[in-house]
Structures are given as structure tokens and as C-alpha cells.
Amino acid sequence: MIYEVIFPQDSQLQKIEKCAFCLSSIDQLVIPSSVTEFGEFNFSNCDRITNIYFPNNSRLKSIEKYFFFNSTLKEILIPAHVKIIGDSAFR
């Protein structure tokens, strides 16, 4: 099982595709500031996730629908650039 994903500090990753982490055993994750877009259902049905961290300079623009659907997320600080939160993102 994978409990942790570490992105390099100089990551140029811009998009994380749909359902990339769904059903995973990840318990916390730091998202690179370069990420501007996620697909839907990215952390859905994650039964171990408690925290997602976004750096202060995060470029994330939206949190897609069902992003954390049926997950055990305990805490999140939404980045300032986020303008759209999709349906049932935190359900």
C-alpha cells in the first residue's frame, strides 16, 4: 500500500488527472504549488486521508465535484486562487 506521495519541491506538475488518488491509502499529501487543475473524484473513498496541504503560493483554481467524496478528510485550507468548488466536493 502507498501511504505517502512526495512531489519534488521544484515540481512543474500542472494537472492531476481524474481519480488519481481515489481508493488509495494515502493519509496526507502536500500538493505542489504548480498544480492548477485536478480531475473529479481525486480523493474520493480515501479512508485514511486526514490532511491535504497546499502551499501559500498555490495556483489551484478549482476543486472539482466529488473531490473528497466519502473520504475521511479532517482539515483543509483552501488556497486563495480557488474560485470554484464543484458539487458534493466535501460530501
Side-chain angles (χ1 to χ4, degrees), residues 1-5 19-29 42-52 71-72:
M1 290 187 181
I2 297 173
Y3 297 106
E4 181 178 40
V5 175
C19 209
F21 299 106
C22 63
L23 297 169
S24 73
S25 298
I26 292 174
D27 55 13
Q28 61 183 354
L29 187 64
N42 252 284
F43 297 97
S44 65
N45 296 302
C46 288
D47 61 0
R48 294 180 48 94
I49 193 121
T50 56
N51 296 298
I52 301 282
S71 73
T72 55

Side-chain angles (χ1 to χ4, degrees), residues 2-39:
I2 297 173
Y3 297 106
E4 181 178 40
V5 175
I6 300 173
F7 295 99
Q9 286 188 348
D10 61 349
S11 174
Q12 297 302 307
L13 181 66
Q14 293 181 353
K15 182 175 183 178
I16 297 177
E17 295 293 337
K18 178 179 179 178
C19 209
F21 299 106
C22 63
L23 297 169
S24 73
S25 298
I26 292 174
D27 55 13
Q28 61 183 354
L29 187 64
V30 177
I31 304 297
S33 62
S34 58
V35 173
T36 60
E37 188 178 349
F38 276 101

